[in-house]
Amino acid sequence: MYLAGVEKSTARFTNVFVQEVTGLPATARIDFLDASGNVVSSRASESVDAFSLLSLPDVVPASAASARVTNTSGNAARIVAYALVTDAITLDAWTVVGSQLLAGASTEQIAAVVPSPVTTGTTTTPVRVLKPDAPPRGIT
């Protein structure tokens, strides 16, 4: 999976998330690429427990423009990856999601939800799911 648009600067930082979605322990390799596609930094072996979320806060190096997340599991574990870019001044944030290029013939799409940055209290995160052959549904 590629996460294009990750960023690290004095104005913005990026948190990367890797989630295991089949109930098996997983491992992932994360390569950070510059604008030309050259690897500038790597995290060779990140472990993700079954059905767990690996949260890597402010992990993107300054010269990176994208992250490549590779499932290196030796079993049938599946992972999804996404990132949350945050403006350090306004605290506005937006999600960068990975492409599903390796989904094969399956039409199944897994939507991972970025946890809320709220540190106190409770928040609700709405999720919209669209099936091409059915009306959209809102899930909270």
mmCIF file of all heavy atoms in Angstrom, residues 22 27 57 68 83 108 125 129 136 140:
data_model
loop_
_atom_site.group_PDB
_atom_site.id
_atom_site.type_symbol
_atom_site.label_atom_id
_atom_site.label_comp_id
_atom_site.label_asym_id
_atom_site.label_seq_id
_atom_site.Cartn_x
_atom_site.Cartn_y
_atom_site.Cartn_z
ATOM 1 N N THR A 22 -7.617 -9.677 10.137
ATOM 2 C CA THR A 22 -8.112 -11.048 9.994
ATOM 3 C C THR A 22 -8.050 -11.861 11.280
ATOM 4 O O THR A 22 -8.511 -12.989 11.304
ATOM 5 C CB THR A 22 -7.311 -11.815 8.927
ATOM 6 O OG1 THR A 22 -5.936 -11.819 9.304
ATOM 7 C CG2 THR A 22 -7.495 -11.230 7.552
ATOM 8 N N THR A 27 3.181 -8.788 10.543
ATOM 9 C CA THR A 27 4.368 -7.934 10.529
ATOM 10 C C THR A 27 4.313 -7.088 9.264
ATOM 11 O O THR A 27 3.753 -7.498 8.243
ATOM 12 C CB THR A 27 5.691 -8.741 10.548
ATOM 13 O OG1 THR A 27 5.680 -9.679 9.475
ATOM 14 C CG2 THR A 27 5.876 -9.464 11.874
ATOM 15 N N PRO A 57 3.140 7.541 16.115
ATOM 16 C CA PRO A 57 2.983 8.992 16.099
ATOM 17 C C PRO A 57 4.226 9.718 15.588
ATOM 18 O O PRO A 57 5.346 9.351 15.936
ATOM 19 C CB PRO A 57 2.687 9.348 17.557
ATOM 20 C CG PRO A 57 3.155 8.184 18.351
ATOM 21 C CD PRO A 57 3.151 6.992 17.455
ATOM 22 N N ARG A 68 5.425 3.545 1.951
ATOM 23 C CA ARG A 68 5.035 2.268 1.343
ATOM 24 C C ARG A 68 4.966 1.254 2.475
ATOM 25 O O ARG A 68 5.955 1.018 3.172
ATOM 26 C CB ARG A 68 6.064 1.847 0.300
ATOM 27 C CG ARG A 68 5.779 0.505 -0.335
ATOM 28 C CD ARG A 68 6.790 0.162 -1.420
ATOM 29 N NE ARG A 68 8.147 0.192 -0.894
ATOM 30 C CZ ARG A 68 9.232 0.515 -1.620
ATOM 31 N NH1 ARG A 68 9.099 0.867 -2.881
ATOM 32 N NH2 ARG A 68 10.424 0.495 -1.081
ATOM 33 N N ALA A 83 -2.761 7.080 7.275
ATOM 34 C CA ALA A 83 -1.992 8.085 7.998
ATOM 35 C C ALA A 83 -2.896 9.264 8.333
ATOM 36 O O ALA A 83 -3.910 9.492 7.665
ATOM 37 C CB ALA A 83 -0.803 8.553 7.162
ATOM 38 N N GLU A 108 -14.102 -6.743 -1.991
ATOM 39 C CA GLU A 108 -14.143 -6.346 -0.583
ATOM 40 C C GLU A 108 -13.189 -5.183 -0.330
ATOM 41 O O GLU A 108 -12.057 -5.188 -0.781
ATOM 42 C CB GLU A 108 -13.718 -7.544 0.268
ATOM 43 C CG GLU A 108 -13.609 -7.253 1.734
ATOM 44 C CD GLU A 108 -13.071 -8.451 2.477
ATOM 45 O OE1 GLU A 108 -11.835 -8.592 2.542
ATOM 46 O OE2 GLU A 108 -13.878 -9.252 2.969
ATOM 47 N N THR A 125 -17.285 9.349 15.785
ATOM 48 C CA THR A 125 -16.688 9.448 14.457
ATOM 49 C C THR A 125 -17.642 8.837 13.448
ATOM 50 O O THR A 125 -17.849 7.633 13.449
ATOM 51 C CB THR A 125 -15.333 8.709 14.419
ATOM 52 O OG1 THR A 125 -14.497 9.241 15.431
ATOM 53 C CG2 THR A 125 -14.678 8.843 13.059
ATOM 54 N N VAL A 129 -20.405 4.437 4.342
ATOM 55 C CA VAL A 129 -20.086 3.262 3.552
ATOM 56 C C VAL A 129 -20.966 3.293 2.303
ATOM 57 O O VAL A 129 -22.174 3.495 2.398
ATOM 58 C CB VAL A 129 -20.352 1.967 4.351
ATOM 59 C CG1 VAL A 129 -20.068 0.742 3.503
ATOM 60 C CG2 VAL A 129 -19.518 1.961 5.622
ATOM 61 N N PRO A 136 -26.346 4.391 0.072
ATOM 62 C CA PRO A 136 -25.328 4.566 1.112
ATOM 63 C C PRO A 136 -25.931 4.461 2.497
ATOM 64 O O PRO A 136 -27.097 4.743 2.705
ATOM 65 C CB PRO A 136 -24.779 5.974 0.841
ATOM 66 C CG PRO A 136 -25.698 6.600 -0.118
ATOM 67 C CD PRO A 136 -26.553 5.561 -0.727
ATOM 68 N N THR A 140 -22.223 4.801 12.763
ATOM 69 C CA THR A 140 -21.532 5.533 13.808
ATOM 70 C C THR A 140 -20.995 4.577 14.838
ATOM 71 O O THR A 140 -21.616 3.646 15.209
ATOM 72 C CB THR A 140 -22.477 6.555 14.467
ATOM 73 O OG1 THR A 140 -22.987 7.398 13.460
ATOM 74 C CG2 THR A 140 -21.746 7.362 15.495
#
